[in-house]
Amino acid sequence: MSSIAKYIIAGLGATAGVSAYPQDQSPSVPTISQPPTASPVASSAAASASAANVALAKEALQAVTNVGRFNALLTVDGAGRELLDDTTLRSRLVFDYGARAAPLGQGGRFILANQNNFPILVNQGISTAIGFLNPCSMNSPHTHPRATEFFTVVQGKFQTGFMLENGFLANATQGRQTTQVSVQELGPFQATVFPLGSIHYQFNHQCEPATFIATFNSADPGTSQVAQNYFFLDSGVVNITLGEINQIDGTNIEQFRTSLPANLVQAVDSCLAKCGLENMKK
């Protein structure tokens, strides 16, 4: 028997042994802390690096072939003759989420690695985000116009849900066109899918911080916050669409536009009360 065959058989045996473990032996959950807020100097350096990444991504996009693109990204002068020095090569191949996570309102921190800030992803059809949500915080309802999202909880618990396009569970009798699909609660190492274009949200309804990883099948998934963008439509359009809801009209629409929070919001009264965080409300 060849050495390769022995390794394959040994691997299969190891897999069988693992699958025979009792199902209630779940892996331990690591404690994850949010990365520290960047200093002004670090923020300035990050801005410079961001501009350089955008320029590099544009160069990679101009390459006609896959080989040409990697030559532009990973070789000296893009000539394809010599790899970059170790430090530069590492900066092109490693994305440091801890160093780049940006605060968004009171709700937490969030960073997406995409082709704009991590050019190695150009034409790779994938991107990944990490989010750190504070207690009682929500990533408010939003859509991704160019990607399906695979959402995985790393720490804490989340309530999630999504709404599909018009016609899903249509009920002509009741006049209901769409219905929210609730996933209920997700815990550590549990995951779900938010279909392309669906309106969806993630809510940390616990009194402890929570962390998630979101992967997209696009290097440029895009994000559109539903409420935040909706209220920036023309006032007349907003009023007509809301119909009988008269709390928001032409006299106070500007108030809503200026007071809408960032996409990581912290405003659920019952959760804040449960966690003793009422003083965090604005």
Side-chain angles (χ1 to χ4, degrees), residues 33-193:
S33 300
Q34 291 193 30
T37 302
S39 66
V41 174
S43 298
S44 177
S48 298
S50 178
N53 281 330
V54 170
L56 187 60
K58 289 180 178 179
E59 182 180 353
L61 283 167
Q62 292 174 356
V64 176
T65 66
N66 190 59
V67 169
R69 184 166 58 254
F70 282 103
N71 280 338
L73 292 169
L74 304 178
T75 68
V76 176
D77 297 327
R81 297 187 181 91
E82 179 185 359
L83 280 175
L84 296 167
D85 64 87
D86 290 346
T87 300
T88 305
L89 189 64
R90 178 178 173 81
S91 71
R92 301 282 175 89
L93 293 172
V94 177
F95 189 88
D96 189 343
Y97 283 95
R100 302 195 193 197
L104 287 172
Q106 295 185 53
R109 308 182 74 184
F110 179 86
I111 184 64
L112 169 69
N114 60 16
Q115 65 182 17
N116 194 50
N117 58 12
F118 195 36
I120 196 72
L121 295 179
V122 168
N123 282 356
Q124 297 303 310
I126 191 171
S127 56
T128 300
I130 293 182
F132 305 89
L133 266 66
N134 293 331
C136 303
S137 297
M138 175 185 290
N139 191 4
S140 63
H142 59 281
T143 69
H144 301 294
R146 293 178 293 278
T148 293
E149 175 179 347
F150 189 71
F151 177 87
T152 303
V153 178
V154 178
Q155 175 180 277
K157 295 181 179 180
F158 286 89
Q159 290 179 346
T160 69
F162 64 85
M163 183 172 285
L164 293 174
E165 62 199 88
N166 295 350
F168 175 67
L169 287 181
N171 189 322
T173 302
Q174 297 180 10
R176 185 175 62 192
Q177 295 299 310
T178 57
T179 299
Q180 176 179 306
V181 179
S182 296
V183 185
Q184 302 300 326
E185 184 176 270
L186 292 175
F189 309 118
Q190 294 181 334
T192 191
V193 170

